[in-house]
């Protein structure tokens, strides 16, 4: 039995050390070294590997090293293989940090001040307390919940929208397409933390922006394909949206010359909102391998039909 790790070599060595101690009988390989392909039972990685079934006939579980699994189309995963997304405290903690930072940045007009500084202007904008603003999170999984907890500590009013019903302390929760409009109508700052599926692709569009209060802020830490990019440019132009923080874009890296690079209403980061932390993720993986061996349900097991 062996496990293949596909990813950054330095972080891979941390996984390997933890595995060597906890599972000495499971041989650990760094992609592209796979050892004996017929002995590979587990792969942990980010990029889909073509011909999985033919190359690794004994493969049992494909673990995504990140939270998202939209890069794995259902036909890429053989029937005999389970797909598992990464649910680990390090991703949730780093995501909550980023979302808090981005929310405060919008709340306290930091993009406007960055623009002013570049132009040598000194102009004050009225300050409101966090308690005067409502922040809405789309997607109430473990990442959405971690972000809401931090935002709650700052005093923001909280809303959440999810496909299936959720009840969270201190958060006004809305469910499904029927309640999307009421949810949006109260969000001064909207945060997209949804998984990318056929239902959520392009959800951040003109028809959604018009349902927000005039002048709302937008944060996208989901996937670039959640956002219809020309619709955001139009919403910024009309003032329906005042400012956006984007960690993901439709094409990554964002192509040279793309209007987002220089737009005065857009703050851009290169898909770093959260990052899997090997020290905590390796522990989660070890627990899932134990669960798999003992016939228990693995944490983060993906329903390929649903897409997450
Ligand atoms: C990053 O985007 C991830 O899905 O972990």
């Amino acid at each position: 039995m062996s496990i293949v790790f596909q990813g950054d070599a330095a972080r891979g060595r941390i996984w390997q050390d933890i595995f060597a101690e906890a599972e000495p009988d499971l041989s650990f390989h760094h992609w592209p070294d796979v050892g004996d392909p017929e002995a590979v039972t587990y792969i942990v990685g980010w990029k889909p590997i073509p011909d999985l079934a033919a190359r690794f006939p004994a493969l049992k579980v494909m673990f995504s090293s990140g939270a998202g699994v939209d890069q794995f189309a259902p036909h890429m995963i053989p029937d005999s293989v389970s797909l598992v997304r990464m649910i680990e405290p390090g991703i949730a903690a780093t995501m909550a940090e980023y979302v808090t930072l981005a929310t405060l940045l919008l709340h306290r007009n930091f993009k406007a001040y960055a623009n002013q500084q570049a132009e040598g202007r000194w102009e004050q904008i009225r300050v409101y307390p966090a308690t005067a603003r409502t922040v809405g999170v789309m997607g109430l999984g473990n990442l959405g919940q971690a972000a809401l907890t931090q935002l709650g500590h700052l005093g923001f009013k909280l809303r959440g929208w999810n496909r299936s019903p959720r009840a969270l302390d201190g958060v006004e929760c809305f469910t499904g397409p029927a309640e999307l409009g009421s949810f949006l109508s109260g969000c001064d700052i909207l945060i997209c933390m949804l998984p990318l599926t056929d239902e959520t692709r392009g959800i951040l569009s003109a028809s959604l922006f018009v349902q927000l209060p005039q002048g709302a802020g937008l944060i996208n830490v989901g996937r670039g394909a959640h956002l219809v990019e020309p619709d955001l440019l139009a919403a910024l132009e009309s003032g329906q949206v005042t400012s956006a923080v984007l960690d993901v874009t439709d094409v990554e890296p964002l192509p040279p010359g793309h209007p987002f690079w220089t737009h005065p209403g857009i703050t851009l980061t290169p898909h770093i909102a959260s990052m899997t932390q090997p020290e905590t993720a390796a522990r989660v993986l070890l627990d899932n391998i134990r669960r798999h061996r003992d016939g228990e349900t693995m944490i983060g097991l993906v329903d390929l039909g649903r897409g997450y």
Side-chain angles (χ1 to χ4, degrees), residues 43-89:
I43 298 178
V44 52
W46 178 248
K47 292 198 182 113
I49 300 169
D51 304 323
L52 264 187
R55 285 166 84 173
F56 304 106
L59 183 66
K60 294 280 181 277
V61 190
M62 175 76 223
F63 292 102
S64 171
S65 55
V69 286
D70 49 285
Q71 68 279 32
F72 298 102
H75 74 266
M76 296 172 183
I77 305 297
D79 289 345
S80 55
V81 174
S82 303
L83 177 64
V84 175
R85 65 199 164 93
M86 183 58 76
I87 300 183
E88 69 95 5

